[in-house]
Amino acid sequence: MTVATIPAPAFAIERFKLGNGLRVVLAPDPGAPVVGVAVVYDVGMRSEPEGRTGFAHLFEHMMFQGSHNVGKAEHMRHVQSAGGTFNGSTHIDYTDYFNLLPSNGLELALFLEADRMRGPAITEENLANQVSVVKEEIRVNVLNRPYGGFPWIKLPPVMFDTFANSHDGYGSFVDLDAATVADAQSFFDAYYPASNAVLSVAGDFDVAQARELVERHFGSVEARPAPVLPSFAEPDLSTERRVSYVDERATLPAVAVAWRVPDPVTELDEFLPYVVLGELLTDGDASRLVERLIHTDRTATAVAAHTTFMAEPFASRGPTVMLVQAFLPPGNAVDTVLGTVQEELARIAEGVDEAELDRVKARVAAQLLRGDDSVMGRSRRFATAEIFHGDAAMSTRFPALLGEVTAEAVAQAAAALTPHRRAVLEVVPGGAQ
């Protein structure tokens, strides 16, 4: 047996914590005259309480509506005027805000992020207009789009039973319309303390100066306790669950199938083989399911496989999934595709060729390493590694850990994906009729 050796990139990383609990990661790199500043809060769609569906997403929008010393829309104006870019995003298990600026823009980014960490402008006007914006986003991206929400919104309620794991985190119109300023303030107070966040800075800066600037701008942010995450645990499936629905805008049938996998944080060693397995199944024309479903059988027009609903294996916590989704030509049977998927999993369970496995591991490691080429991507990845794994430097070790995954481990992972443990979601096209 051989094991692919994949080197870990060497980045200087300094970590410390402020008195208010804010965790700070500094990763200097003088190679490019830019600086990336990311703030990641340990709150995502799964964390939001019942009756507050969509609040994590809503708050991503609210955080751009002004704060103590920054007026409405001024965050974006300041960053763009300095030659930078910015954005924010909501995920299953976290929310992040990030800025990329020329090196001399470091203090500006720190000031802006610290100011809204003290508190966004939660007013009746801002809440009403951002609820409206979020609802329109849902209409555009889900309700009025073919395959909207497939499968990341539609499949969890088939697979899971608890509110945390199964609800639509994009947002319920009922809950969004019912939101009050008091509700929004309560959500901020609970989930946005400094102690529930990581500030990550990467790029061209002096460490001592950056540390002083972080202390200056974030040190006076009020200290509040971090929320205690509820348990997300629930039993695995013991029998297949299957749901189909008609999508009036879809023109081709589609299917998504998912199985529970080990926790990416507490069971990382057991989880890693599934990351490799997803690449083995669908990454590139030589992958098992692409070759079989698309090129040989022609029973699918597109297929993809990955771990976690948002395909971010190292920025998630369990329970989560191994997911395969496919789009089918008109008239093709979903059961035929499911049967082929199970056949290919059974073949992998019998054993994997080392040369094929090394090629796949090299591809997935290369994808991770490319993410570190970007200063902005690096600052975000260091922050999520600190949030989920307690050490920003873990981000640099994931490629090497994947290189250590054995053929036996991948075979065992494939063998665990049995029909009785799966959840299946079928899209019936209504647009073709």
Side-chain angles (χ1 to χ4, degrees):
M1 181 192 75
T2 61
V3 176
T5 301
I6 299 170
F11 294 110
I13 297 175
E14 181 172 322
R15 302 161 58 229
F16 61 96
K17 183 183 289 188
L18 299 185
N20 54 22
L22 178 68
R23 290 158 285 175
V24 182
V25 177
L26 301 179
D29 177 9
V34 294
V35 64
V37 176
V39 180
V40 175
Y41 292 86
D42 194 355
V43 55
M45 298 172 181
R46 186 160 21 201
S47 310
E48 56 197 17
E50 292 192 57
R52 300 291 181 267
T53 304
F55 261 54
H57 179 209
L58 174 63
F59 244 84
E60 178 212 322
H61 287 258
M62 289 292 292
M63 289 286 277
F64 286 98
Q65 298 308 300
S67 50
H68 286 242
N69 299 294
V70 179
K72 189 180 182 73
E74 284 189 6
H75 184 119
M76 54 202 77
R77 182 173 60 80
H78 284 308
V79 172
Q80 290 173 337
S81 296
T85 61
F86 67 93
N87 213 332
S89 58
T90 312
H91 302 251
I92 303 280
D93 289 310
Y94 69 96
T95 306
D96 64 348
Y97 304 88
F98 43 97
N99 311 266
L100 180 68
L101 290 128
S103 302
N104 61 6
L106 173 60
E107 184 168 13
L108 171 62
L110 295 175
F111 161 73
L112 292 171
E113 291 298 344
D115 203 62
R116 61 181 171 185
M117 184 178 284
R118 288 186 176 85
I122 303 175
T123 65
E124 292 280 2
E125 178 189 1
N126 284 344
L127 181 61
N129 64 37
Q130 291 314 298
V131 164
S132 177
V133 168
V134 169
K135 287 169 64 178
E136 184 59 23
E137 188 177 318
I138 294 169
R139 290 188 188 98
V140 170
N141 292 336
V142 179
L143 300 179
N144 295 318
R145 173 178 291 184
Y147 312 101
F150 173 80
W152 71 279
I153 291 176
K154 303 287 189 180
L155 187 54
V158 181
M159 183 156 213
F160 296 116
D161 295 321
T162 64
F163 171 81
N165 293 319
S166 66
H167 78 278
D168 175 1
Y170 215 159
S172 153
F173 280 18
V174 172
D175 286 353
L176 290 170
D177 284 334
T180 66
V181 166
D183 294 334
Q185 187 65 54
S186 176
F187 189 87
F188 175 82
D189 291 343
Y191 294 105
Y192 273 76
S195 56
N196 203 41
V198 170
L199 165 67
S200 176
V201 183
D204 182 25
F205 61 88
D206 176 78
V207 171
Q209 182 187 35
R211 187 163 187 152
E212 189 275 325
L213 290 173
V214 169
E215 292 274 5
R216 181 191 307 172
H217 291 286
F218 287 89
S220 61
V221 174
E222 178 188 3
R224 305 196 311 273
V228 177
L229 287 174
S231 171
F232 299 133
E234 62 178 280
D236 193 4
L237 298 184
S238 56
T239 58
E240 182 191 68
R241 294 184 180 180
R242 193 160 178 169
V243 168
S244 66
Y245 70 99
V246 175
D247 185 335
E248 297 295 347
R249 291 171 176 78
T251 56
L252 295 175
V255 63
V257 54
W259 301 261
R260 285 277 294 278
V261 296
D263 189 308
V265 176
T266 61
E267 301 169 289
L268 179 61
D269 289 345
E270 294 80 7
F271 172 77
L272 289 171
Y274 292 92
V275 179
V276 176
L277 178 59
E279 298 290 316
L280 187 68
L281 288 171
T282 64
D283 189 55
D285 284 344
S287 61
R288 299 293 185 97
L289 290 180
V290 171
E291 185 175 315
R292 177 77 187 276
L293 290 173
I294 297 177
H295 298 311
T296 302
D297 297 350
R298 298 187 179 181
T299 52
T301 59
V303 62
H306 52 79
T307 52
T308 77
F309 284 108
M310 289 188 170
E312 43 185 3
F314 304 116
S316 299
R317 51 172 64 97
T320 192
V321 300
M322 176 82 199
L323 175 69
V324 178
Q325 64 186 80
F327 293 86
L328 286 57
N332 278 43
V334 162
D335 280 325
T336 300
V337 171
L338 293 176
T340 302
V341 170
Q342 294 295 161
E343 287 174 15
E344 292 302 316
L345 288 171
R347 286 181 59 213
I348 294 170
E350 292 173 0
V352 182
D353 178 76
E354 293 289 350
E356 179 187 19
L357 186 62
D358 285 350
R359 172 182 59 79
V360 167
K361 289 192 291 188
R363 284 175 68 99
V364 66
Q367 291 168 6
L368 290 173
L369 292 168
R370 277 197 297 272
D372 286 335
D373 287 344
S374 157
V375 168
M376 189 69 266
R378 200 182 310 158
S379 65
R380 296 173 72 190
R381 281 159 55 86
F382 288 167
T384 54
E386 185 72 29
I387 286 279
F388 293 103
H389 298 274
D391 183 0
M394 273 296 291
S395 174
T396 68
R397 296 199 285 271
F398 292 135
L401 291 172
L402 288 167
E404 296 170 4
V405 172
T406 65
E408 290 81 1
V410 175
Q412 290 171 6
L417 305 184
T418 55
H420 72 274
R421 294 184 58 240
R422 71 190 186 189
V424 178
L425 179 67
E426 179 181 353
V427 179
V428 179
Q433 298 175 3

